[in-house]
Amino acid sequence: MNGHYFFTSESVTEGHPDKLADQISDSVLDAIIEKDPMARVACETAVTTGIAFVMGEITTKCYVDIPSIVRKTICEVGYVNASWGIDGKTCGVIVALDEQSPDIAQGVNSASDANEKEDPLLKIGAGDQGMMVGFAVRETPDLMPAPIYYAHLINRRLSELRKKNVLPYLRPDGKSQVTFEYDEKRNPIRVDAVVVSTQHNPDVPQEKISSDIIEQAVKPVVPGEFLDKKTKYYVNPTGRFVVGGPQGDSGLTGRKIIVDTYGGMAAHGGGAFSGKDPTKVDRSGAYMARYIAKNIVAAGFADRLEIQIAYAIGVAKPLSVHVNTFGTEKISPDRIEEIIFDLFDLRPGAIIKTLDLRRPIFRQVASYGHFGRSDLNLPWERLDRVEDLKKAAKK
């Protein structure tokens, strides 16, 4: 239709079983890294009816009470009633942890390409091979794709309505999905469809749920100029969503990687984020890539930019850096890549230092997205390199 197209992204609430697992893993990470910033953590969680299973590889000098952390997280999300499938106060918690493999540790502790005269903190190698992706686009105030941005806002609003008891019949599990129509110049012009599935008490009529969600969860967060008479709303399309959370579906850390990033509008690297300390470039490399992409778009080099960074395990310097501007560049992608190498140190140790990642800041991004979070003071969302980029472009 005249070059117009539609794009859809999905978000899930903090009570979704996969997101519950992510939050447990990152709560364990935060607790450990607060006491031992140099700890190595790879923590996975699985949840199902009445039980949480924490597993992985952790090397640390500190002690944390992992079962207590798990229970506290489950309760904070809102699962405090055993009839909902899991209750943080009474559920079973199984912990099975080992130390990080010495074969991995030797490459992380000292990179094969490290300069012996350097700061030891900068000599660490990448904790794994892989490619990480960062993305930014001029569609929203936080330079995020519009579909995932507003899907997240709807879910955050659902959580607020539940926790403040505005809609007391809501339960923790839920999903949203937003479809935008784009014009031929890739500008989002209207919302074509909104889907919200929210867990609820069994005695609430579907008509009330639908009306409440549209009026109190969707319209307050999606700008009115995007909503029109043709916008379609689907609230609990099956007509009922009572059984949910870990009872309705098992949850596992790392299964919502597109929800965590750009809603499918950009490529994704090879790994998930949650439960991993910052020596794992799956996490720190993706954060750095977003930081670079956001500052470059804010500096006016392009209206849409994706950057890929690739690493080899045990090696500090990236194997490759690739920039895609999708034809929106104001200066050439080759020149942008040169500027990136000039201004940003992409070694894992330098990334950790630049973004100050050895601190407990990860649980807060384990739901509602790791990027575009103006509600949080995240170092990878800062726009503090814009002027440096502009100066570099003039050389």
Side-chain angles (χ1 to χ4, degrees):
M1 45 183 297
N2 299 320
H4 287 220
Y5 65 94
F6 298 87
F7 195 92
T8 302
S9 293
E10 176 199 41
S11 175
V12 299
T13 67
E14 64 197 83
H16 185 282
D18 292 330
K19 276 289 136 205
L20 180 61
D22 284 342
Q23 289 169 93
I24 291 171
S25 293
D26 273 336
S27 293
V28 172
L29 169 64
D30 278 355
I32 292 173
I33 209 168
E34 183 173 25
K35 293 184 176 182
D36 181 7
M38 305 303 290
R40 301 284 166 74
V41 180
C43 179
E44 308 275 354
T45 302
V47 292
T48 188
T49 305
I51 194 167
F53 182 23
V54 180
M55 61 200 128
E57 297 76 44
I58 297 178
T59 302
T60 180
K61 298 176 181 178
C62 75
Y63 169 78
V64 297
D65 186 348
I66 290 178
S68 294
I69 293 167
V70 173
R71 295 183 185 282
K72 183 172 184 286
T73 303
I74 293 171
C75 288
E76 287 176 349
V77 170
Y79 287 109
V80 293
N81 188 325
S83 68
W84 297 357
I86 195 167
D87 179 355
K89 303 185 296 298
T90 61
C91 69
V93 178
I94 299 174
V95 179
L97 297 171
D98 292 310
E99 290 189 355
Q100 184 182 60
S101 162
D103 297 338
I104 297 174
Q106 68 178 357
V108 178
N109 294 340
S110 182
S112 61
D113 60 338
N115 184 332
E116 292 302 321
K117 296 180 180 180
E118 285 183 308
D119 180 345
L121 294 179
L122 295 178
K123 288 167 59 178
I124 67 172
D128 202 352
Q129 70 178 45
M131 65 288 186
M132 294 80 228
V133 174
F135 184 73
V137 62
R138 290 188 180 279
E139 290 186 9
T140 62
D142 291 318
L143 303 183
M144 286 288 288
I148 189 66
Y149 185 78
Y150 291 110
H152 282 324
L153 289 182
I154 290 169
N155 281 340
R156 284 168 53 191
R157 178 65 177 162
L158 279 178
S159 179
E160 180 184 0
L161 293 169
R162 172 174 59 88
K163 291 184 172 181
K164 291 185 176 180
N165 218 31
V166 177
L167 298 180
Y169 58 80
L170 294 180
R171 292 180 179 176
D173 197 359
K175 296 181 177 183
S176 67
Q177 187 171 286
V178 178
T179 301
F180 264 84
E181 181 180 348
Y182 284 76
D183 65 17
E184 64 280 356
K185 295 182 179 179
R186 284 186 163 177
N187 298 310
I189 57 174
R190 59 179 292 273
V191 171
D192 187 66
V194 178
V195 182
V196 180
S197 296
T198 180
Q199 190 184 15
H200 58 87
N201 291 347
D203 55 352
V204 185
Q206 168 66 13
E207 294 76 14
K208 175 174 176 53
I209 297 172
S210 182
S211 175
D212 285 347
I213 296 307
I214 294 170
E215 296 301 324
Q216 298 196 54
V218 177
K219 290 184 177 179
V221 300
V222 179
E225 63 263 30
F226 289 134
L227 303 174
D228 58 31
K229 294 180 179 180
K230 294 183 178 180
T231 300
K232 300 176 283 291
Y233 300 94
Y234 303 91
V235 178
N236 288 358
T238 70
R240 180 180 171 89
F241 187 3
V242 174
V243 177
Q247 183 180 25
D249 190 10
S250 60
L252 186 65
T253 299
R255 269 206 306 218
K256 286 291 176 283
I257 56 176
I258 300 303
V259 171
D260 285 341
T261 54
Y262 307 102
M265 190 168 284
H268 195 285
F273 303 153
S274 289
K276 298 178 180 178
D277 75 81
T279 67
K280 280 74 172 174
V281 284
D282 282 337
R283 174 165 233 156
S284 54
Y287 290 172
M288 190 66 173
R290 163 64 178 175
Y291 176 57
I292 295 170
K294 186 176 182 183
N295 276 269
I296 287 174
V297 170
F301 290 8
D303 293 330
R304 173 186 297 255
L305 184 136
E306 179 182 277
I307 174 174
Q308 183 203 72
I309 308 172
Y311 292 91
I313 188 168
V315 180
K317 293 181 180 179
L319 302 180
S320 66
V321 174
H322 173 68
V323 166
N324 185 356
T325 55
F326 306 93
T328 69
E329 70 275 5
K330 307 303 186 290
I331 63 175
S332 75
D334 288 343
R335 178 59 182 142
I336 293 174
E337 289 179 7
E338 291 175 358
I339 292 171
I340 290 171
F341 278 114
D342 288 342
L343 293 187
F344 298 96
D345 191 336
L346 299 178
R347 295 173 298 167
I351 292 172
I352 291 169
K353 183 177 181 180
T354 298
L355 300 180
D356 192 14
L357 296 179
R358 294 194 189 274
R359 54 196 177 102
I361 59 173
F362 301 111
R363 156 76 192 279
Q364 62 185 339
V365 291
S367 53
Y368 310 121
H370 292 243
F371 308 124
R373 298 294 300 276
S374 56
D375 58 312
L376 304 172
N377 183 25
L378 300 174
W380 54 88
E381 291 294 315
R382 295 190 307 248
L383 291 175
D384 56 358
R385 301 303 303 274
V386 172
E387 295 306 315
D388 293 336
L389 286 160
K390 290 179 178 179
K391 290 178 183 177
K394 294 178 181 178
K395 293 181 181 179

